[in-house]
Amino acid sequence: MEKVTINQAIKNLSNFGKRITVATVRAAVNYSQKDSEIKEAIKKFKAQKFLKDKIESFKNQKPVKEIAIEIFWKKSKTWGLNPHAEVTVLFKDNTRIFQNGYFASGCGYDKESTVIAEIFNDFLRYKLYRKRNRNNVPYGVNFSDYGHYFSGGIGVSCYYEIAKYLGGKMTCLYNSSEIDIYKVSFR
């Protein structure tokens, strides 16, 4: 019988829909391996699969027509004013969702752009995976082997350029000490 590596055994078990455990992998390999080596290989395989599935979910996000972002500034005894955001997203198929729960706290960075980055990551990552031309990439857009994403803490002004890079336009509709309202729209 031919020797099979730990990684080949894990891949074979996965392809056949079998449960991947130390025992099933040990049964599939014809030579002695330490349990710690098998556990490490299983852990690595599951992490790669998780990343692959996560990236696939980003690629398959629904296309967005418009995002309305409302950022409310709430006072914290420890961190001063903190942004709390809610969004209404209009998709290209004319469905709409409302989502809240975006916030940032702490000090020493741009909290508002961190909240905007979370929103862009939740709804616009698919646009990064469709980008073929990666020349003149604006600050805050990241392409890596571990996924493409938008960075926070970089300043809201960067998101005007990022929206333009994605083929859209970001507009500030209202700005005060209590609330900021932005609209991000795409053709």
Side-chain angles (χ1 to χ4, degrees):
M1 189 176 245
E2 178 183 328
K3 285 187 180 182
V4 177
T5 67
I6 295 172
N7 290 334
Q8 288 170 328
I10 292 171
K11 188 175 178 183
N12 292 342
L13 289 167
S14 173
N15 288 342
F16 290 111
K18 303 285 185 186
R19 192 155 176 238
I20 300 170
T21 64
V22 172
T24 57
V25 173
R26 179 166 304 294
V29 294
N30 297 333
Y31 53 94
S32 136
Q33 288 289 335
K34 294 178 186 173
D35 283 354
S36 61
E37 290 176 354
I38 294 173
K39 285 179 185 175
E40 189 60 35
I42 291 171
K43 185 177 169 185
K44 194 181 230 181
F45 174 80
K46 288 183 177 178
Q48 288 172 339
K49 181 162 178 19
F50 175 78
L51 178 62
K52 199 177 192 182
D53 292 347
K54 200 77 172 150
I55 288 172
E56 207 50 44
S57 75
F58 297 143
K59 288 179 179 178
N60 294 320
Q61 288 175 322
K62 284 174 74 170
V64 170
K65 188 175 192 177
E66 186 176 283
I67 300 175
I69 303 170
E70 293 182 46
I71 298 176
F72 304 95
W73 292 93
K74 298 184 180 181
K75 188 142 180 101
S76 160
K77 289 180 183 176
T78 308
W79 305 116
L81 290 174
N82 292 323
H84 292 255
E86 52 189 46
V87 298
T88 303
V89 181
L90 174 63
F91 296 100
K92 291 210 175 181
D93 64 2
N94 286 323
T95 59
R96 185 182 306 263
I97 66 163
F98 171 81
Q99 193 163 312
N100 60 13
Y102 297 99
F103 69 94
S105 64
C107 63
Y109 68 102
D110 186 303
K111 295 182 269 190
E112 188 173 22
S113 69
T114 299
V115 169
I116 293 171
E118 282 184 54
I119 294 164
F120 272 51
N121 281 320
D122 280 356
F123 299 104
L124 298 174
R125 276 194 184 184
Y126 75 96
K127 289 190 168 286
L128 295 180
Y129 286 97
R130 293 180 182 173
K131 273 291 188 194
R132 298 289 174 239
N133 181 1
R134 294 191 184 161
N135 296 329
N136 302 319
V137 177
Y139 184 64
V141 172
N142 301 282
F143 293 102
S144 81
D145 294 339
Y146 303 104
H148 308 336
Y149 61 95
F150 302 97
S151 293
I154 61 171
V156 174
S157 60
C158 293
Y159 276 89
Y160 291 96
E161 285 302 310
I162 290 171
K164 188 176 174 183
Y165 175 74
L166 297 175
K169 182 179 180 180
M170 181 167 154
T171 310
C172 180
L173 302 176
Y174 184 78
N175 178 273
S176 75
S177 61
E178 297 173 358
I179 187 171
D180 294 332
I181 301 173
Y182 299 96
K183 181 172 97 173
V184 184
S185 51
F186 299 92
R187 297 179 202 82

